[in-house]
Amino acid sequence: MIGSWMMAVSLLGLAGEDGARNTGGNSPVFVRTFEERKPFEGTSPTGPGIRVLAGEGRAGTAGLVIEREPASGSGSAMVSWSLPIEKLRGARVRVEAFARAEGVSPPPKSWNGIKVMLHVRGAGDEWPQAPIDAGSFGWSRVGFTATIPDDSKSADLALGLEQVTGRVVLDDVRISILSPRRTAATPAANATAAEARPGHGRLRGVMIGTKVDADDLTTLARSYGANHVRWQLLWDGFPNGPADTATAEEYDRWLGRELDRLARLLTVCRREGISVLIDVHTPPGGREQGTSVMKMFRKPEHQAHFLRVWDRIAGRFHDDPAVWGYDLVNEPVVGMIPDGVKTWPELALEAAKRIRAIDRGKAIIVEPTPWGSPEGLDDFEPLPGIDGVVYSVHMYQPHHFTHQGVYDNPGRVSYPGVIDGKPWDKAAIRRALEPARRFERDFHVPIYIGEFSVIRWAPGASGRDWLRDVIEVMEEYRWDWAYHAYREWDGWSFEHGPDRNDHTRSPSLTDRGALLKSYFERNPRQPRP
């Protein structure tokens, strides 16, 4: 029910800040306001507790109420409608609704719970769905965007409660076929946007750990040849850490300490010719435990704090030549959006405008939701009216290979080979990165790969071979890139050998280290004192 399909589903902001729909010229194929004379026309609810009640809707109108009592135990209460599949095949569709809930129990599986979901039948069954909280919450925008496969035979919309109890009210449910994505008028389809990026020359480097010091930076530049670092502003953990429970004052004190440290070490970066990208890895409010959704997409006060953070960073570093750019936030995850809270494109645009009011020249890096995945760019458009924006994705596909032995992923997965039932080789890597390449061609904007890596204990030469193929594709496209990571957690280290239990750096250059160094050495050499 989940897996590869969910990687193709991008969670978007579904409406403007005032709650008005942002469908533009999109074509609706299904609408239910529950003010219809026959709201259940074409369907039959399954399970008790499903009804339309006056006064329960978002504007005091009718709403769809679905209830399951605590004594109900396992089971579901669902209602579904068949959709016109002949209109949907091959189309990108947006499914959106408003929801509020009371006392919904925690789902036993991640795909259970409150359902706003499609069931698409074709070569196989797929169930893309909106991520929706358990518990109690007020009116919130929920939804997702998905592409309906060309071979689909049928599609249904399902609303309900699955394997949980409690009460949910749904209103203003809409499915729209998205208009063809706007494309740039120029240049030619095969042109590269590399020359459009801010700064000078190619950037090949690393993401660095939070404890890197002057000697580490000097070694990175002089022994390896890297000319770039992505500088994490990370508060003791990812995805969860102290920011999840910190006050705004505590966050600002932490940020001040980190910015002071950055300012001290920028002296070394200037001397060594290292271009720095400042990355807000931990945003105000942190992330919600268990979901990784950023709290700044739950409360407007966190968004206001986020904007102040960028006023502060840009105000401090706008005239430092070692700072190449500003990465607005690492791997945004949005989820549900309450009324009065900006979507990620809206918030990113506001942050970019505020940075440009202070700093006209440095790059502004924007990652798509969810998790900065390449697929996220298929449902993103460039920030309007802002010069010098670079669009960034992270590359860890296939996840069961790159993250084997991390979390609950199994080990001993080799590359190239069949992984998760699909053949993975350089051609597959190229396909995985195609959304970024397509975005570059469509809009003539620069692409930056802010993270890519594979765990160091991947079998045999698998890790090196995967890295080689990813780098060769990036080099072909002339993308700037940062390997994850240098002197951070040693699972990603290119200075450690393949024994996961050996936490000492190898006395000799590893095969991964030799590969990266061979590309770092292509960087333009900077004169040093």
Side-chain angles (χ1 to χ4, degrees):
M1 187 176 292
I2 59 174
S4 61
W5 174 267
M6 293 306 294
M7 292 299 292
V9 175
S10 296
L11 312 181
L12 300 177
L14 300 175
E17 191 176 2
D18 62 357
R21 296 199 178 273
N22 257 347
T23 54
N26 299 332
S27 174
V29 295
F30 179 91
V31 176
R32 280 293 184 278
T33 66
F34 303 104
E35 288 291 304
E36 296 88 359
R37 188 168 62 88
K38 297 180 179 180
F40 290 127
E41 185 174 12
T43 186
S44 297
T46 59
I50 302 176
R51 57 200 185 279
V52 172
L53 294 179
E56 291 281 357
R58 182 166 170 259
T61 55
L64 175 65
V65 178
I66 304 172
E67 293 183 278
R68 297 192 72 242
E69 297 296 331
S72 301
S74 62
S76 303
M78 304 286 287
V79 57
S80 64
W81 287 265
S82 295
L83 302 174
I85 191 62
E86 65 280 358
K87 295 183 179 180
L88 299 178
R89 289 190 188 99
R92 284 190 309 131
V93 300
R94 179 172 292 160
V95 180
E96 50 189 352
F98 284 88
R100 63 179 174 88
E102 301 169 18
V104 175
S105 60
K109 301 290 186 181
S110 61
W111 56 84
N112 300 142
I114 301 171
K115 310 294 280 191
V116 175
M117 179 181 74
L118 295 180
H119 181 189
V120 183
R121 303 172 185 84
D125 284 17
E126 306 286 1
W127 293 268
Q129 61 184 304
I132 305 178
D133 294 352
S136 301
F137 54 84
W139 285 112
S140 299
R141 290 166 284 177
V142 303
F144 60 94
T145 296
T147 298
I148 308 301
D150 291 330
D151 63 354
S152 298
K153 296 180 175 62
S154 65
D156 298 332
L157 169 69
L159 310 175
L161 294 172
E162 181 183 73
Q163 302 298 326
V164 293
T165 59
R167 187 177 196 264
V168 64
V169 184
L170 297 169
D171 192 14
D172 202 9
V173 181
R174 181 181 302 256
I175 302 175
S176 300
I177 297 176
L178 298 183
S179 302
R181 194 170 67 172
R182 176 177 59 84
T183 58
T186 58
N190 63 349
T192 177
E195 69 276 8
R197 67 179 177 273
H200 303 284
R202 287 291 305 281
L203 298 179
R204 301 179 182 91
V206 297
M207 181 168 161
I208 58 173
T210 58
K211 306 302 181 185
V212 162
D213 60 18
D215 288 342
D216 296 322
L217 292 168
T218 301
T219 298
L220 178 66
R222 298 192 179 190
S223 297
Y224 293 110
N227 69 351
H228 166 61
V229 294
R230 183 169 178 253
W231 195 290
Q232 298 183 76
L233 297 175
L234 171 67
W235 195 359
D236 292 339
F238 177 80
N240 299 116
D244 300 348
T245 56
T247 65
E249 292 76 17
E250 289 169 334
Y251 181 95
D252 285 338
R253 285 195 293 272
W254 161 78
L255 181 63
R257 294 192 298 270
E258 290 302 303
L259 296 182
D260 288 346
R261 177 175 173 273
L262 170 59
R264 290 193 302 271
L265 289 173
L266 282 175
T267 302
V268 181
C269 295
R270 287 192 294 272
R271 184 191 72 210
E272 300 299 332
I274 296 174
S275 295
V276 176
L277 174 63
I278 302 174
D279 154 42
V280 172
H281 221 79
T282 302
R287 296 179 187 256
E288 292 187 341
Q289 292 283 345
T291 69
S292 295
V293 169
M294 291 177 173
K295 290 183 182 178
M296 68 179 184
F297 296 111
R298 301 295 203 194
K299 295 184 178 181
E301 56 264 36
H302 291 319
Q303 296 195 333
H305 193 182
F306 175 75
L307 296 173
R308 294 195 301 272
V309 163
W310 277 113
D311 288 341
R312 182 178 182 182
I313 294 173
R316 183 162 183 177
F317 299 106
H318 68 277
D319 60 354
D320 195 308
V323 176
W324 169 61
Y326 310 112
D327 193 338
L328 296 183
V329 75
N330 179 71
E331 297 184 351
V333 178
V334 175
M336 296 165 47
I337 302 179
D339 280 350
V341 176
K342 289 181 171 66
T343 66
W344 174 229
E346 291 168 339
L347 184 61
L349 178 60
E350 180 62 24
K353 287 179 177 178
R354 293 173 73 147
I355 289 171
R356 278 291 171 259
I358 301 168
D359 187 334
R360 297 297 303 170
K362 290 182 175 40
I364 297 173
I365 281 69
V366 180
E367 304 172 30
T369 62
W371 296 106
S373 65
E375 298 90 347
L377 287 179
D378 277 338
D379 292 299
F380 204 85
E381 289 194 0
L383 302 186
I386 305 293
D387 295 330
V389 180
V390 177
Y391 295 88
S392 176
V393 298
H394 296 173
M395 176 58 180
Y396 289 102
Q397 297 182 33
H399 198 267
H400 277 167
F401 169 69
T402 62
H403 282 64
Q404 59 187 294
V406 183
Y407 311 123
D408 58 352
N409 288 352
R412 307 307 300 172
V413 181
S414 294
Y415 171 92
V418 175
I419 303 170
D420 291 335
K422 296 181 180 179
W424 276 91
D425 53 15
K426 186 177 178 180
I429 285 173
R430 189 184 300 278
R431 288 192 295 273
L433 289 169
E434 178 58 25
R437 182 63 166 164
R438 187 162 54 239
F439 194 83
E440 177 188 45
R441 288 194 301 257
D442 283 353
F443 300 113
H444 196 51
V445 293
I447 297 294
Y448 166 75
I449 306 298
E451 293 182 29
F452 67 101
S453 198
V454 53
I455 210 69
R456 64 181 169 91
W457 48 78
S462 287
R464 181 205 61 198
D465 292 348
W466 182 90
L467 288 172
R468 179 201 62 219
D469 287 351
V470 171
I471 291 173
E472 286 181 355
V473 172
M474 294 189 298
E475 288 293 303
E476 178 185 340
Y477 297 157
R478 297 175 61 201
W479 290 346
D480 297 322
W481 49 264
Y483 171 83
H484 179 254
Y486 175 70
R487 299 191 177 176
E488 192 207 44
W489 177 53
D490 66 38
W492 306 112
S493 173
F494 63 82
E495 297 179 301
H496 290 68
D499 182 355
R500 67 181 301 169
N501 298 312
D502 184 355
H503 301 289
T504 59
R505 293 179 198 145
S506 172
S508 58
L509 196 62
T510 67
D511 60 350
R512 297 152 62 101
L515 174 71
L516 288 166
K517 184 177 180 180
S518 71
Y519 283 96
F520 293 153
E521 288 176 341
R522 301 183 184 188
N523 292 328
R525 290 295 181 184
Q526 299 289 335
R528 298 189 180 95

